[in-house]
Amino acid sequence: RAGAWAADFRKNRCTKMGADGKYAYESCASACQACSAVVTGECVDSTSWFKKNDPSKDCDWVAQHVPTRCAVKGEDERWGFQACSRACDAC
């Protein structure tokens, strides 16, 4: 599906797997706001993001099991792919 499909309902659709075996955030990085470089100019991982209800699981944890952990919601309501764009190779 096209990036516009993901962008319409970014909250739910960017973590859906497509028929090609890729998550929507991988195929539609711009629509899903998956790349920190768009905002900051650099592809970096957040130093403050962690998995919802589990501060021990940060971007280093995400990097150990890409792309599945990139689709995990963080305490700050950002997805792993949004906060850990370097670990998720989203840039």
Side-chain angles (χ1 to χ4, degrees):
R1 300 191 181 184
W5 173 84
D8 285 343
F9 294 95
R10 185 176 297 119
K11 180 175 151 184
N12 299 318
R13 292 183 174 172
C14 290
T15 57
K16 299 296 181 199
M17 176 121 6
D20 62 357
K22 289 186 169 189
Y23 285 98
Y25 77 82
E26 293 177 288
S27 298
C28 304
S30 179
C32 291
Q33 299 174 340
C35 181
S36 62
V38 172
V39 177
T40 65
E42 296 180 6
C43 187
V44 296
D45 289 339
S46 171
T47 57
S48 61
W49 183 93
F50 59 89
K51 181 181 177 193
K52 192 169 199 114
N53 299 319
D54 195 343
S56 69
K57 296 181 177 171
D58 57 10
C59 289
D60 289 336
W61 173 82
V62 169
Q64 293 172 6
H65 198 29
V66 173
T68 305
R69 290 182 180 170
C70 296
V72 170
K73 183 76 92 154
E75 188 71 28
D76 63 2
E77 297 299 316
R78 289 185 296 163
W79 295 101
F81 65 81
Q82 292 172 315
C84 308
S85 51
R86 185 177 188 97
C88 293
D89 198 24
C91 299

